[in-house]
Amino acid sequence: MKVLIVHAHPEPQSFTAALKDAAIADLTAAGHEVVVSDLYAMQWNPVASAADFGSRGNPEYMNYALEQRANAEAGTLAADIEAELAKVMAADLIIFTFPLYWFSVPAILKGWFDRVLVSGRVYGGRRFYDQGSLAGKRGWLVLTCGGRDYMLSEGGIHGDMTQILKPVLQGTLAYTGLSVLPPFTGYHIPYLSPEKRAEILADFRARLAALDSVEPLTMPVLASYDREMKPLDREMKPLA
Amino acid sequence: MKVLIVHAHPEPQSFTAALKDAAIADLTAAGHEVVVSDLYAMQWNPVASAADFGSRGNPEYMNYALEQRANAEAGTLAADIEAELAKVMAADLIIFTFPLYWFSVPAILKGWFDRVLVSGRVYGGRRFYDQGSLAGKRGWLVLTCGGRDYMLSEGGIHGDMTQILKPVLQGTLAYTGLSVLPPFTGYHIPYLSPEKRAEILADFRARLAALDSVEPLTMPVLASYDREMKPLDREMKPLA
């Protein structure tokens, strides 16, 4: 199996980096091929802009997604985007390791989504969710946060973590066709003892070893919707 | 009223920019003072890193939020962060205008959240949600997207837009103490005729004119939770 790890933490000694390093070590030892995009180390540019395009479908007015399609077809996407896309296309499993910032990914990783998940390459037109171009590959979020698990659960003060991560789990990973594994979350990390952190690291390694037995999350399937993306199995009440 | 508009769109002629310009014009005409942070025009740096800190609480290991607190106290935050913080603190209403990228804000705006909403200044310790430092101010998301409204509604293929935006509405704006107004969303924008866009712009101006009569969204209130942030009004089943 080929594995791409996209890592986004500003501190190389962080516990998030320890999770990333454990994944590299254990997956390599198991005979898999691991490639790492360490976004801070690469000084990854997260800002989607006209500078990403070597040609223009419309030189007068830039719609980012439409220019992605035009430039994907013309072969004129920026080199740093093409390099990441090649890693994505080669991978069977993509792991994202990051700290939760504002109930989401750090901006440097958000900008990897914005720039690398190119319309016309990984999705486009009627190719999204199970029809997305990354179908057959798996995606996995591995994250750390300061909150405690009960604060990020149903009935807790912030609500359920899977709901909080929905824009990433469904709106990003599943949208491109990835089968999305249940996230691994290390809670309350800045405040834990080394012993507690070691326990979480051991839990993570056990999850890594058992990856193939994990059921992906349930996501929308295009066959349940008509050509206008209205659900086929219920009465639709249009809002406008 | 003092209004800060944080604008994040790479195309100055975009419909999102037209919404921003209408807000500037109408709010100014109504006698309000409007300040704009146009993140693309400012070439805003969205990457949270050690470079944000002129001193270090812990020189050996960087936890971003803990260094925010240390540097806020020492007065050694990066100048671009302090400049944005001053605008935030002066504002009665903060409007964010942006296109939806991957069911969330563009990376350049995510990095404004990551860097400007400083622990120790806008939240910290037990000061969050209704106890956050921005309590008394209002926040409003004004966004555009390619999808149709029924696709981003309950029962639609992507689910309800307010749920999709929860990490921003609750996890970011409400977390800092802002009263959060219901978002204004322009749907299907890249595919609409000029006439349809004009209708949406007129709807937006009507919403602007009636801002003071809009009820904020319901958000968590710390008085409902104990010192460990467990809910007071129900039996708690800890997960760990």
Side-chain angles (χ1 to χ4, degrees):
Chain A
M1 181 169 71
K2 289 187 177 184
V3 182
L4 169 61
I5 300 179
V6 182
H7 177 67
H9 199 295
E11 171 55 64
Q13 304 171 88
S14 67
F15 185 70
T16 312
L19 295 171
K20 178 256 295 172
D21 291 339
I24 296 170
D26 291 7
L27 291 168
T28 304
H32 304 300
E33 190 182 313
V34 181
V35 170
V36 180
S37 289
D38 182 338
L39 300 184
Y40 274 91
M42 293 159 68
Q43 300 189 277
W44 174 256
N45 164 28
V47 180
S49 80
D52 294 342
F53 306 124
S55 65
R56 286 290 288 273
N58 181 350
E60 307 299 328
Y61 182 105
M62 192 196 60
N63 175 290
Y64 194 76
L66 298 180
E67 290 299 337
Q68 285 182 314
R69 284 183 224 174
N71 280 263
E73 196 162 324
T76 48
L77 288 166
D80 61 343
I81 296 173
E82 286 286 11
E84 292 303 299
L85 258 178
K87 297 177 196 172
V88 167
M89 293 305 182
D92 301 299
L93 166 65
I94 309 176
I95 304 176
F96 299 90
T97 53
F98 62 94
L100 195 71
Y101 283 1
W102 293 108
F103 287 39
S104 182
V105 298
I108 201 169
L109 177 52
K110 181 56 170 61
W112 188 94
F113 296 156
D114 290 351
R115 297 181 67 229
V116 176
L117 301 178
V118 171
S119 181
R121 287 283 181 86
V122 307
Y123 76 99
R126 314 187 81 71
R127 292 185 296 109
F128 61 107
Y129 287 139
D130 61 309
Q131 302 300 310
S133 300
L134 305 190
K137 305 175 187 294
R138 291 182 293 174
W140 189 24
L141 301 186
V142 173
L143 61 144
T144 58
C145 67
R148 293 180 180 275
D149 50 6
Y150 60 80
M151 296 166 71
L152 293 140
S153 305
E154 204 177 323
I157 187 164
H158 305 309
D160 176 61
M161 182 67 105
T162 305
Q163 279 301 313
I164 289 168
L165 293 173
K166 185 180 165 179
V168 186
L169 294 169
Q170 175 174 333
T172 309
L173 306 192
Y175 195 93
T176 64
L178 291 172
S179 294
V180 183
L181 302 179
F184 179 91
T185 306
Y187 291 95
H188 209 48
I189 297 298
Y191 312 104
L192 294 183
S193 65
E195 293 70 28
K196 275 283 175 200
R197 287 188 177 195
E199 279 175 32
I200 295 174
L201 194 58
D203 287 348
F204 175 64
R205 301 182 91 144
R207 278 282 295 277
L208 267 174
L211 265 191
D212 286 346
S213 62
V214 175
E215 276 297 306
L217 300 174
T218 301
M219 294 290 172
V221 170
L222 290 200
S224 306
Y225 299 84
D226 69 13
R227 279 195 59 82
E228 292 185 305
M229 295 300 153
K230 292 180 181 170
L232 287 169
D233 57 349
R234 66 176 86 193
E235 193 193 343
M236 192 63 207
K237 305 175 199 71
L239 297 180
Chain B
M1 181 168 71
K2 291 188 177 185
V3 182
L4 169 61
I5 301 179
V6 182
H7 177 68
H9 199 294
E11 171 55 63
Q13 306 170 85
S14 66
F15 184 70
T16 311
L19 294 171
K20 179 254 297 171
D21 291 339
I24 297 170
D26 290 6
L27 292 167
T28 304
H32 304 299
E33 190 182 313
V34 181
V35 170
V36 180
S37 288
D38 182 339
L39 300 184
Y40 274 91
M42 294 159 67
Q43 300 188 277
W44 172 255
N45 164 28
V47 180
S49 79
D52 294 342
F53 306 124
S55 65
R56 286 290 287 276
N58 181 350
E60 308 298 328
Y61 183 103
M62 194 199 56
N63 175 290
Y64 193 76
L66 298 180
E67 291 300 336
Q68 285 182 314
R69 284 184 225 174
N71 280 262
E73 196 163 326
T76 47
L77 288 165
D80 61 344
I81 294 173
E82 286 287 10
E84 292 303 298
L85 258 178
K87 297 177 196 172
V88 166
M89 292 308 181
D92 302 299
L93 167 65
I94 309 176
I95 304 177
F96 299 89
T97 52
F98 63 92
L100 195 71
Y101 283 1
W102 293 108
F103 288 38
S104 183
V105 298
I108 201 169
L109 177 52
K110 181 56 171 59
W112 188 95
F113 297 155
D114 290 351
R115 297 182 66 229
V116 176
L117 301 177
V118 171
S119 180
R121 288 281 182 86
V122 307
Y123 76 99
R126 314 186 81 72
R127 293 186 296 110
F128 61 106
Y129 288 137
D130 60 310
Q131 302 300 311
S133 302
L134 305 190
K137 306 174 187 293
R138 292 182 292 175
W140 190 24
L141 300 186
V142 174
L143 61 145
T144 57
C145 66
R148 293 178 179 277
D149 50 4
Y150 60 80
M151 295 166 71
L152 292 141
S153 305
E154 203 178 325
I157 186 164
H158 304 309
D160 176 61
M161 182 66 103
T162 304
Q163 278 301 312
I164 289 168
L165 293 173
K166 185 182 165 179
V168 185
L169 294 169
Q170 175 174 335
T172 309
L173 306 193
Y175 194 94
T176 65
L178 292 172
S179 293
V180 183
L181 302 178
F184 180 91
T185 307
Y187 291 95
H188 209 49
I189 297 298
Y191 313 104
L192 294 183
S193 65
E195 292 72 26
K196 276 281 175 201
R197 287 188 178 196
E199 280 174 32
I200 293 174
L201 194 58
D203 287 348
F204 175 64
R205 299 180 92 145
R207 279 282 296 275
L208 268 174
L211 264 192
D212 286 343
S213 62
V214 175
E215 277 296 307
L217 301 174
T218 301
M219 294 291 172
V221 171
L222 289 201
S224 306
Y225 299 84
D226 69 13
R227 278 195 61 81
E228 292 186 304
M229 295 301 154
K230 291 179 181 171
L232 288 168
D233 58 347
R234 66 177 85 193
E235 194 195 341
M236 192 62 206
K237 305 175 199 71
L239 297 180

